[in-house]
Amino acid sequence: MIDLRNNGGGSLVEAVNLTGLFITQGPVVQRRHPDGEIIQEFDKDPSQIYDGPLEILVNRFSASASEIFAAAIQDYKRGIVVGEQTYGKGTVQSVVELDRFLKGEPENVGQLKITMEKFYRITGSSTQHKGVTPDVELPSAFSAAEYGESSQPSALPWDMIASTKYSTYNDINDQILYKIRSKYQERIKTDLELKKLKEDFENWKRLKEKNSISLQEDKRKKEIDEQKKKSTQPETAVANSSGEILPDAKADDAKNDKHSKDTYLKESEKILLDLIASYPGSGIKVTQVEKK
């Protein structure tokens, strides 16, 4: 599992190189210049460092190079993407120093950031606005209308160009995705933590839409106390509904305590186990262990 939540991206070269660890070789992303020229960025190394089950965890704030990597893994059917719809940052900016044009000025006059290119998936679809849609969507508190590139009034629109030539893997198919999604839908109805996460998001959305508060001190204090109770995370069960054992938060202090409160991460682990169990020709056997 590769956790790219809140990863705002970085180097395009690193995104291509990272993708190359999980595929043999081929195109990773396309770039379109203002004059219409299309440039394809390739992984040219035929070696594949890891060929096993792969899951990419994303959220609404996974952007830019993170989206390039997640999109490539998804398009090659090399792994699954889990989480929320990503940010939708599919543009390339270049910073121009204004000092070069105003050399007579005694002080620095600043910089100008100009959009120079757009990114496109190997399928030809832009990551702009739409971002990457997960194969398994977890509950989300954020709407595209308020957060992400699509919420910006001056953002460039989504569009498409021609697809590149690439060969997909046999790691992910519709049957595998159906099994994984079905098991997730079963858990979201019965898993206490998932149900509470969904309820917390719904409560948070209702509070955000509420545009008034009580000026009566006693009533306001009661409202605050109720909100605090609702936001309190329950103690994490050691075993989930399927009997799979998760790390005990009390065992390794702060590190595992943080893990125990991360419902997204724990659910992603369960989804990954489902993927491993259905992975073609992996030879991996998933067994359930009961805590004594």
Side-chain angles (χ1 to χ4, degrees), residues 1-210:
M1 182 195 301
I2 298 180
D3 190 347
L4 294 180
R5 290 175 297 173
N6 303 315
N7 188 310
S11 168
L12 171 62
V13 174
E14 288 299 323
V16 174
N17 290 340
L18 181 61
T19 305
L21 299 178
F22 306 101
I23 65 173
T24 50
Q25 59 184 357
V28 174
V29 65
Q30 302 185 84
R31 296 158 43 204
R32 187 176 72 176
H33 289 267
D35 61 5
E37 180 186 7
I38 307 295
I39 296 177
Q40 298 177 1
E41 299 290 343
F42 281 84
D43 165 46
K44 298 178 181 179
D45 186 351
S47 63
Q48 187 178 11
I49 303 302
Y50 175 73
D51 62 358
L54 179 62
E55 176 185 285
I56 314 299
L57 180 57
V58 296
N59 66 3
R60 188 59 179 158
F61 304 103
S62 304
S64 193
S66 296
E67 295 176 287
I68 290 173
F69 170 70
I73 294 299
Q74 188 180 59
D75 291 339
Y76 272 108
K77 300 188 183 301
R78 178 61 191 83
I80 62 171
V81 179
V82 175
E84 303 170 84
Q85 180 186 0
T86 61
Y87 193 85
K89 174 68 165 57
T91 55
V92 185
Q93 281 78 40
S94 179
V95 177
V96 178
E97 297 286 348
L98 296 180
D99 290 343
R100 59 190 287 192
F101 304 107
L102 301 169
K103 296 182 180 179
E105 294 293 324
E107 297 181 359
N108 293 335
V109 293
Q111 302 170 323
L112 188 64
K113 184 180 285 187
I114 303 175
T115 298
M116 304 294 291
E117 299 175 336
K118 285 182 75 174
F119 284 129
Y120 295 83
R121 301 168 68 146
I122 56 178
T123 60
S125 174
S126 174
T127 54
Q128 178 70 3
H129 264 235
K130 289 189 176 182
V132 179
T133 301
D135 297 298
V136 181
E137 293 195 54
L138 301 182
S140 175
F142 306 107
S143 69
E146 295 179 284
Y147 302 92
E149 187 78 2
S150 57
S151 67
Q152 303 300 317
S154 60
L156 293 177
W158 173 89
D159 63 343
M160 285 194 71
I161 61 174
S163 172
T164 61
K165 293 182 179 180
Y166 65 98
S167 299
T168 59
Y169 292 76
N170 296 321
D171 301 342
I172 306 298
N173 55 45
D174 291 341
Q175 185 178 5
I176 289 176
L177 288 177
Y178 176 78
K179 289 180 180 178
I180 292 172
R181 289 167 180 161
S182 297
K183 290 186 177 181
Y184 165 68
Q185 290 300 325
E186 291 174 5
R187 283 194 296 271
I188 204 168
K189 294 177 183 177
T190 58
D191 187 282
L192 295 179
E193 289 185 71
L194 276 177
K195 289 173 69 176
K196 186 177 187 306
L197 181 68
K198 191 174 181 180
E199 290 172 2
D200 285 346
F201 286 162
E202 290 173 352
N203 289 331
W204 181 79
K205 289 176 182 177
R206 282 195 293 267
L207 286 172
K208 193 174 63 166
E209 292 171 357
K210 189 178 179 181

Side-chain angles (χ1 to χ4, degrees), residues 205-220:
K205 289 176 182 177
R206 282 195 293 267
L207 286 172
K208 193 174 63 166
E209 292 171 357
K210 189 178 179 181
N211 56 11
S212 64
I213 60 173
S214 175
L215 295 178
Q216 296 180 16
E217 184 178 6
D218 292 343
K219 188 175 181 180
R220 182 58 184 150

